[in-house]
Amino acid sequence: MTRVFPDGNYESWTQCRSLLPHVKIVLASRNDTDGDDRLNAATLSSNCGLFLDLQGAYEEAGSMHGWALKAREKVLGCEHPHTLISVIHLGNVLDSQGRYEEAEAMHRRALEGFEKVLGQEHPYTLSSVGNLGNVLDSQGKYEEAELLHRRALEGVEEVFGREHRNTLTSVSNLGNVLSRQGKYEEAESMHRRALEGSEKMLGREHPDTLTSVSSLGKVLSQQGRYEEAEAIHRRALEGLEEVLGQEHPHTLNSVGHLGLVLDNQGKYEEAEAMHRRDLEGSEKVLGREHPNTLTSANNLGLVLFKQGKYEEEEAMHRRALEVREKVLGREHPDTLTSVSNLGLVLDRHRKHEEAEAMQRRALEARERVLGYEHPETLITVDAVLSLSYFHQNHVPL
């Protein structure tokens, strides 16, 4: 079974699906194995975990990778490359589950181990650099993440060339963290490069290509190019629904992106429907406290605000803020977005002093975390000045 079960990549999904029930029966007795049989079971469990991870079945994938890691630690030792690969796989699943601190610890362990055993420029080391960059990006540690992604990209370009799949992944990762820092032009260039390469190497309907489509749409939207962004997001969503299904986390993420660009164009009813679909699906698939679910709640709150549905909107923003503070921390960029959004709600309810306090909290933290010239910082400056002007002049806004 270890010989015949594929590595879980997109091209092998049909075979993986047909073999998966048989694999689970085989793996049911894996705790009774030892030596080479234990290593075979670890490989099978790892490949199965990769497939399940790509399907969005994160809990089951994490169980598979956790077992493979323990088996390899026992037979091969903690610093063997195969053991460290299992560390990476488990770290990636933890990242997808929003368990960022645990994921970071895994990826730092893998990177340190690969640098020691294989050296700075080995492909496994460079992959580990990129994975650590991703989880730091998820935590809002953008400067450190950017440095890691630039290191990874430079390395994989040297090792694999400019058009290799690993290189394109690094290009996309760097584009993501540049986008989050407000470096939109450079981010757009990266995402266009990644998309062009993926279409050429993998095809238009490959999940990696569709992810690049979605990332490009997001950075176009951030630049106010909404019509172009909408067309891109509709392409991404249609493809992801076809390839991954209606309730895959990546599909739901694409639903949310389309909802945002519709909102920005004043298409509020369609945007609300998208955000409700995203939120309902994310709660079901990922849970109520997953960072993606909280983003969905926040986005729904925004479109409710624009439609004058203030009570439901305030409930959404308070929920997002409360859980983001708990899960991500008080100064994570997503938490500060919730702080600022709640300030807008309070202002609309004529609670101007409380609203100004929220916006000042968001501003002080954004200046510290994102910098003085980040677009979100500048937006918050305008909000604080507007509320301050109201207090000084006592006139309606």
Side-chain angles (χ1 to χ4, degrees):
M1 185 62 78
T2 300
R3 283 195 298 269
V4 300
F5 192 84
D7 60 6
N9 282 324
Y10 171 67
E11 294 76 12
S12 67
W13 282 2
T14 299
Q15 188 180 1
C16 288
R17 289 191 183 101
S18 66
L19 289 173
L20 187 60
H22 308 287
V23 168
K24 291 182 178 180
I25 293 172
V26 171
L27 290 177
S29 61
R30 62 190 169 183
N31 290 326
D32 299 327
T33 60
D34 207 355
D36 288 343
D37 282 341
R38 183 175 289 268
L39 290 179
N40 284 331
T43 300
L44 182 57
S45 188
S46 180
N47 289 345
C48 188
L50 287 171
F51 171 66
L52 291 167
D53 185 7
L54 292 172
Q55 300 302 300
Y58 299 135
E59 187 171 345
E60 196 173 1
S63 176
M64 290 286 183
H65 287 311
W67 191 93
L69 174 57
K70 290 179 181 178
R72 286 172 168 171
E73 284 176 333
K74 181 175 181 179
V75 179
L76 301 173
C78 290
E79 293 188 344
H80 191 282
H82 290 180
T83 304
L84 297 173
I85 288 171
S86 284
V87 173
I88 284 181
H89 292 161
L90 183 55
N92 286 339
V93 173
L94 291 168
D95 190 1
S96 296
Q97 292 177 298
R99 297 160 64 180
Y100 299 137
E101 292 185 4
E102 295 173 77
E104 180 182 345
M106 285 288 172
H107 287 311
R108 288 195 183 279
R109 172 186 165 184
L111 177 56
E112 183 179 339
F114 280 132
E115 287 179 329
K116 177 181 177 181
V117 175
L118 301 176
Q120 295 266 339
E121 302 304 318
H122 192 280
Y124 288 168
T125 306
L126 297 172
S127 178
S128 195
V129 170
N131 288 326
L132 178 57
N134 284 337
V135 76
L136 292 174
D137 185 359
S138 297
Q139 295 175 90
K141 302 173 183 178
Y142 299 140
E143 291 185 6
E144 188 179 358
E146 181 183 344
L147 290 175
L148 287 170
H149 285 313
R150 289 193 184 277
R151 172 187 165 187
L153 178 56
E154 182 179 345
V156 293
E157 284 182 329
E158 181 69 24
V159 173
F160 295 113
R162 287 180 55 85
E163 292 192 347
H164 191 276
R165 184 173 179 175
N166 291 11
T167 305
L168 298 175
T169 298
S170 290
V171 170
S172 183
N173 290 340
L174 179 57
N176 288 334
V177 76
L178 290 170
S179 175
R180 290 186 177 95
Q181 295 176 93
K183 302 175 183 180
Y184 300 136
E185 290 187 7
E186 189 179 1
E188 181 185 345
S189 176
M190 288 289 168
H191 287 311
R192 287 194 183 278
R193 175 184 165 186
L195 176 56
E196 182 180 345
S198 291
E199 287 180 330
K200 179 179 177 181
M201 301 296 293
L202 304 173
R204 287 177 58 86
E205 302 305 317
H206 191 284
D208 289 357
T209 303
L210 296 171
T211 297
S212 291
V213 172
S214 186
S215 296
L216 177 59
K218 186 175 180 181
V219 77
L220 291 173
S221 181
Q222 288 168 326
Q223 296 175 85
R225 295 154 64 181
Y226 300 131
E227 290 187 8
E228 191 178 356
E230 181 183 344
I232 291 284
H233 282 311
R234 288 194 184 279
R235 173 189 163 185
L237 178 56
E238 182 179 346
L240 290 168
E241 287 178 329
E242 179 68 25
V243 175
L244 300 178
Q246 296 268 338
E247 293 190 341
H248 190 285
H250 292 180
T251 305
L252 296 171
N253 197 32
S254 185
V255 171
H257 289 324
L258 179 56
L260 284 174
V261 79
L262 292 169
D263 182 359
N264 286 323
Q265 294 177 92
K267 302 174 182 179
Y268 299 137
E269 290 187 8
E270 189 178 359
E272 180 182 344
M274 287 289 172
H275 289 313
R276 288 194 184 279
R277 173 185 165 187
D278 180 18
L279 179 58
E280 182 179 342
S282 295
E283 288 178 332
K284 177 181 176 181
V285 175
L286 300 172
R288 287 179 58 84
E289 294 192 351
H290 190 282
N292 288 11
T293 306
L294 300 175
T295 297
S296 302
N298 176 77
N299 292 341
L300 178 56
L302 290 175
V303 76
L304 291 171
F305 172 78
K306 293 176 181 177
Q307 295 177 93
K309 302 176 181 179
Y310 300 133
E311 290 187 8
E312 188 180 2
E313 173 221 3
E314 181 175 353
M316 285 293 167
H317 286 311
R318 288 194 181 279
R319 169 188 167 184
L321 176 57
E322 180 181 350
V323 184
R324 278 175 164 171
E325 286 180 329
K326 174 184 172 183
V327 175
L328 301 174
R330 287 178 57 84
E331 294 201 342
H332 189 284
D334 289 352
T335 305
L336 300 177
T337 295
S338 288
V339 172
S340 181
N341 288 340
L342 184 55
L344 293 173
V345 176
L346 294 168
D347 180 35
R348 179 65 65 178
H349 290 182
R350 301 188 180 281
K351 301 175 182 178
H352 302 301
E353 291 187 7
E354 192 178 354
E356 183 177 353
M358 297 296 279
Q359 296 292 6
R360 288 191 180 278
R361 171 187 163 186
L363 177 59
E364 290 173 8
R366 279 175 165 166
E367 288 176 338
R368 190 162 50 248
V369 173
L370 300 176
Y372 290 93
E373 295 187 357
H374 192 283
E376 292 180 8
T377 305
L378 297 176
I379 289 171
T380 317
V381 169
D382 288 342
V384 170
L385 290 175
S386 177
L387 287 164
S388 178
Y389 177 82
F390 172 83
H391 285 150
Q392 292 173 11
N393 293 276
H394 303 287
V395 296
L397 293 178

